[in-house]
Structures are given as C-alpha cells and as structure tokens.
Amino acid sequence: MIVISGCLIVRDNKVLMVKEAKKKCYGQWNIPAGHVDEPEKITDAAIREIYEETGCKVKLTGVLPMITVIKENEQKLMVRFTADIIEENIKFDTEEILDVKWIDIEEIKNMPKEQLRAYNVNIQFIKDFEANKIYPLEIFNND
C-alpha cells in the first residue's frame, strides 16, 4: 500500500493549491501532498510535502477522514491534515509545480473534472472540511 500525505490549508475560505507539472497530471490543480518515505511518519511527510511543494512552513491542526483509492491494481491511502501556515514564503520547484495560489473553495468545487487532480478525492476532502469532520492529531501515536 502506498500512503499519500498532505495538508488542506484553508484561510479566508480559500485553499492553498498547487498546479502540477508532472506529465501524467500536467496543469491540474491539487491539494499539496506526496508519498510518505520509509521510515517517515505520516505527520512529518505532510509537513515536508507542503514545504517542498509550496515553500510554506506549517503546523498541523487536525486530520480529515482518510480515503482509500484502488487504481491500476494499486492501493493508496490518502491522508490529509488540516494546518495553519506559520511561515508563508511561496517558492517551488518548477520541474514539479507550475504555480501555487490560494483558490476560493467554491471555485474549486466548480472546477471541471479535468482541471482538478483526483477530482472525487479532493472534493471529498473539502466536503469533509466544510462538515467539520476534523479529528485530533492524537489519533496518530507518534511518541
């Protein structure tokens, strides 16, 4: 199983999003996230991925319900944390990311499917956030 960890960062009803440069999803917007490396903690991976993809430093505040996706005989566990930005310094590797910007939640929910990577997954994370399905970080026993 592959674990993908990231953060849904919301401020003033806008989500910090990245525009993908990877060939398989070129030009699609996405919630910043990436693979958890061995033996990395899921929480640490989320913080690292946000920094790598946006240049921002964050503090995790909660976790949304997890989603399992099976695609091409590969199982992925999608974990998205909520987070607050503690240092906003937008910078990114143009080999991986084309753009980083704050996008209004309603605009994301109204995007055509081809503009939003993993459309159903990202929309579900946003719906869970709006429904306040945010759980304490203590569900991860990282001691």
Side-chain angles (χ1 to χ4, degrees):
M1 175 186 296
I2 297 169
V3 180
I4 309 292
S5 185
C7 292
L8 179 68
I9 304 167
V10 180
R11 182 173 70 195
D12 300 326
N13 214 38
K14 294 182 179 185
V15 178
L16 187 62
M17 300 286 285
V18 296
K19 192 176 219 181
E20 299 279 5
K22 297 178 203 100
K23 186 177 180 180
K24 67 180 178 181
C25 54
Y26 188 87
Q28 292 181 314
W29 289 100
N30 196 12
I31 295 170
H35 291 95
V36 176
D37 298 331
E38 293 290 333
E40 189 175 36
K41 295 176 183 176
I42 294 172
T43 50
D44 292 342
I47 293 168
R48 175 184 54 77
E49 284 291 340
I50 296 304
Y51 184 73
E52 288 178 1
E53 293 191 0
T54 71
C56 296
K57 293 182 181 178
V58 298
K59 177 182 184 222
L60 303 181
T61 57
V63 64
L64 296 163
M66 294 173 234
I67 298 174
T68 302
V69 175
I70 299 172
K71 187 175 178 183
E72 300 167 6
N73 289 329
E74 202 170 53
Q75 186 176 29
K76 294 180 181 180
L77 177 64
M78 314 295 264
V79 182
R80 295 297 179 275
F81 294 90
T82 56
D84 290 333
I85 291 188
I86 54 176
E87 186 178 311
E88 185 173 351
N89 182 25
I90 303 294
K91 61 182 179 188
F92 49 90
D93 178 354
T94 55
E95 298 281 320
E96 291 192 27
I97 304 295
L98 298 171
D99 196 6
V100 175
K101 74 176 189 176
W102 293 95
I103 302 176
D104 187 88
I105 287 177
E106 289 305 313
E107 184 180 338
I108 296 167
K109 290 175 11 184
N110 290 316
M111 277 183 184
K113 287 188 177 187
E114 60 274 2
Q115 285 184 10
L116 184 63
R117 185 173 184 190
Y119 183 88
N120 292 333
V121 171
N122 281 323
I123 293 298
Q124 186 60 54
F125 282 128
I126 289 171
K127 286 180 180 178
D128 289 341
F129 175 82
E130 290 180 315
N132 204 32
K133 292 182 181 179
I134 303 168
Y135 299 93
L137 292 172
E138 289 76 23
I139 66 170
F140 290 91
N141 189 354
N142 280 335
D143 294 333

